[in-house]
Amino acid sequence: MSERHYLDHAATSHLRPEAREALIGALGAGNPGGRYASGRAARALLDDARERVADLLGCEPVEVVFTSGGTEADNLAVQGLYLARSGSTIVAPPVEHEAVARIAAHLAAEHWAEILAAPVDAAGRVDPARLPELDRRGTALVACMAANNETGAIQPVAAVAERCRAAGVPLHVDAVQTAGAVLDASGAPTPFRDCGAATLALSAHKFGGPRGIGALLVRRGARLAAHVHGGGQERGLRSGTPDVAGAVGLAAALAADRAEGEERRRRLRALRDRLREGILATVDDVVVHTTEPALPGHLHLSFPGAEGDSLTMLLDAAGVECSTGSACSAGVHRPSHVLLAMGVAEDVARAAVRFTLGWDSTEADVAAVLAAVGDTVSRARAAGMA
Ligand code: PLP
């Protein structure tokens, strides 16, 4: 195979060496529920992972509930908060990930929930001043993601949290794209204890950890119904024998992610800006969907006149791995609900491609896109829209 260049870190990142080593080292761990020596050894590994995660994210160890990933964490939060409350309204912007949007839709279909859309502007950001009326008895929860998986737009979560606090309504934050944190204006992570959320979802494979493990941070005192019933593990919210090795791998990846901090953000921003300027200098008539404040590695664009699927296939053939950014259902690619909510025309939304950089991205990855993009867009535009 020719040299490959990976620019789809928002979908999943490569496993970091630290996480691989930690994961492999703990793969033989037994059941942490066992009262004998091997069980106690597994429990010590799990407790240590939980403490490390709590320390890195600024919460208490008891507030870390390990799950199978971001989707499960979002489902546990939205359904758990909804079922534990008396109110029936779920307030969420129309740009949330399917892991939040679909469980809310399920609650509407099966449990009488009413979904109220929080209006977003042309960049897909929630306007806290235009949030629907919140009240303790009527509103079950508000959901607001930390940053959007397609455009990278950072949401004004602090202002949303303030509205929720004033109304006494719990807030769920999907922080899957931000390695488990609400970001401040400079893009730096806010400790969970200060962010105002009742629950916050994260997923290890988005920051260099293993796939199949994540966590929901659940504030002490938050009322939440369990969604998996059984042996009562993970505070009784998520029963099942825990994945000790996964938790250890998650903690190692998170530690590496946090250690890189601002330096990585600066490096990725510089690479991403070069990518954007290079594309704009090479191709005519490009629509840029990523606007500041945004995640440093995100660049979401449309090439009107070309089909997003054709573009990603041609880029793949040129050695560049990227995606359209939106989910594909049963092989049928629909225009992104995020772009449509931002008011982007359907044909422009169908012409979208998302490039996302991550911890091991290099100049060579950017150069590979710039070498291929001109020819790729010309060919895809010649083929036209389906
Ligand atoms: N939430 C967001 C914002 C995401 O980007 C994703 C994955 O793309 C998820 C939730 C789901 O996470 P997971 O793949 O760990 O289930």
Side-chain angles (χ1 to χ4, degrees):
M1 211 178 352
S2 62
E3 203 185 336
R4 307 295 301 169
H5 295 278
Y6 187 75
L7 291 97
D8 202 15
H9 282 262
T12 199
S13 266
H14 295 143
L15 191 61
R16 289 173 178 271
E18 304 89 333
R20 181 187 297 272
E21 199 180 315
L23 179 71
I24 291 172
L27 271 179
N31 187 335
R35 293 177 177 224
Y36 32 78
S38 64
R40 288 196 301 276
R43 164 67 54 195
L45 286 174
L46 186 63
D47 287 349
D48 182 58
R50 199 185 306 280
E51 277 162 28
R52 281 184 84 190
V53 170
D55 191 44
L56 291 159
L57 297 182
C59 66
E60 296 177 41
V62 70
E63 294 177 319
V64 179
V65 173
F66 287 114
T67 65
S68 64
T71 301
E72 190 195 337
D74 280 331
N75 273 248
L76 170 59
V78 174
Q79 177 162 287
L81 289 170
Y82 178 77
L83 294 181
R85 295 278 302 184
S86 51
S88 62
T89 304
I90 299 175
V91 176
V95 296
E96 290 290 305
H97 189 270
E98 287 81 358
V100 167
R102 295 255 171 115
I103 184 62
H106 166 79
L107 294 169
E110 304 286 337
H111 295 273
W112 306 283
E114 190 192 346
I115 301 171
L116 276 188
V120 294
D121 62 16
R125 282 189 197 85
V126 173
D127 178 352
R130 288 170 63 220
L131 274 181
E133 205 56 47
L134 307 177
D135 85 276
R136 188 193 293 271
R137 276 185 304 170
T139 316
L141 69 130
V142 174
C144 182
M145 66 203 319
N148 188 264
N149 44 299
E150 294 186 23
T151 62
I154 294 174
Q155 292 286 5
V157 178
V160 173
E162 184 45 38
R163 285 282 313 273
C164 291
R165 194 200 54 74
V169 169
L171 169 67
H172 170 62
V173 175
D174 175 339
V176 168
Q177 287 293 330
T178 55
V182 168
L183 305 180
D184 70 14
S186 73
T190 308
F192 180 68
R193 71 176 72 85
D194 300 330
C195 80
T199 53
L200 180 146
L202 61 138
S203 179
H205 72 107
K206 306 289 187 181
F207 48 84
R211 278 156 284 276
I213 182 84
L216 184 69
L217 306 187
V218 181
R219 193 172 295 284
R220 212 188 244 282
R223 281 175 8 102
L224 203 67
H227 80 153
V228 180
H229 303 271
Q233 292 92 341
E234 301 297 308
R235 267 169 85 180
L237 291 171
R238 200 271 184 177
S239 287
T241 304
D243 174 2
V244 175
V248 169
L250 182 155
L254 189 60
D257 178 272
R258 287 303 173 92
E260 290 168 359
E262 176 55 22
E263 194 188 315
R264 185 192 58 241
R265 292 197 285 278
R266 216 173 309 124
R267 190 177 75 79
L268 291 187
R269 201 171 290 122
L271 284 177
R272 191 269 317 271
D273 290 353
R274 249 197 312 287
L275 180 61
R276 186 190 54 233
E277 296 317 311
I279 291 173
L280 293 177
T282 312
V283 184
D284 289 334
D285 191 20
V286 179
V287 180
V288 180
H289 303 301
T290 299
T291 57
E292 294 302 328
L295 296 178
H298 264 69
L299 182 59
H300 200 210
L301 321 141
S302 282
F303 300 93
E307 196 73 63
D309 282 338
S310 312
L311 290 162
T312 54
M313 267 157 43
L314 289 165
L315 285 166
D316 183 34
V320 171
E321 301 188 348
C322 62
S323 71
T324 59
S326 59
C328 177
S329 137
V332 182
H333 187 244
R334 298 206 183 87
S336 144
H337 70 282
V338 174
L339 295 182
L340 296 182
M342 288 161 57
V344 174
E346 195 169 318
D347 57 330
V348 177
R350 275 176 42 202
V353 174
R354 178 187 68 181
F355 299 103
T356 47
L357 305 167
W359 67 272
D360 60 352
S361 296
T362 63
E363 296 271 0
D365 298 327
V366 170
V369 177
L370 296 182
V373 73
D375 183 48
T376 299
V377 176
S378 303
R379 287 168 63 193
R381 279 181 172 160
M385 306 292 283

